Amino acid sequence: QVQLVESGGGPVQAGGSLRLSCAASKHSYSAFSMGWFRQAPGKEREGVAVIDNYGKTTHANSVKGRFTISQDSATNTLYLEMNSLKPEDTAMYYCALSRRLLTVVDPELLFAMDYWGKGTLVTILS
């Protein structure tokens, strides 16, 4: 069982920046991917970005150029750097881990994840 704990959410003015973190418990998967997802009120959960254990990243078109996913393998920590934030970025943000190598952010990505954190709320103030 892998435990995932997100942190770093909060209120921020539109145009501002925020960095989310996700601490993962130790695991023994040799090939895996981690991703960030978000769910806005009344909307379905959607993929934001994914990174595999080799460091290959993919970002959703809606955040490309503004958000950056990264990981620190030494500390098992996943990050999401968010810049130029917009009110429509307001959502609960979740991190997740998959036992597969994933390189596409599409609606099917949710079903490929095996473990989920409980989320951290990001509110963009206009």
Side-chain angles (χ1 to χ4, degrees):
Q1 191 78 3
V2 178
Q3 309 294 327
L4 302 170
V5 180
E6 303 94 335
S7 62
V12 64
Q13 292 289 334
S17 300
L18 209 57
R19 187 175 82 156
L20 304 183
S21 301
C22 173
S25 60
K26 282 189 176 181
H27 59 82
S28 59
Y29 302 127
S30 57
F32 64 92
S33 300
M34 294 192 73
W36 285 102
F37 297 78
R38 66 185 182 185
Q39 187 166 18
K43 294 190 175 182
E44 294 187 352
R45 193 171 298 190
E46 62 176 2
V48 174
V50 67
I51 184 169
D52 67 21
N53 61 292
Y54 298 105
K56 180 175 171 57
T57 64
T58 306
H59 297 78
N61 289 334
S62 59
V63 305
K64 209 170 283 185
R66 299 189 300 124
F67 292 10
T68 302
I69 188 171
S70 63
Q71 63 187 357
D72 183 338
S73 301
T75 61
N76 286 343
T77 305
L78 180 73
Y79 298 102
L80 185 67
E81 188 74 39
M82 305 187 294
N83 299 310
S84 303
L85 284 161
K86 306 175 182 179
E88 52 262 43
D89 294 319
T90 294
M92 185 71 81
Y93 282 72
Y94 301 89
C95 75
L97 184 145
S98 171
R99 292 172 290 180
R100 289 175 259 183
L101 293 179
L102 303 168
T103 57
V104 178
V105 177
D106 63 15
E108 300 299 314
L109 185 62
L110 275 73
F111 305 104
M113 311 311 287
D114 297 295
Y115 302 99
W116 290 87
K118 294 185 177 180
T120 184
L121 182 62
V122 172
T123 303
I124 311 305
L125 308 172
S126 57

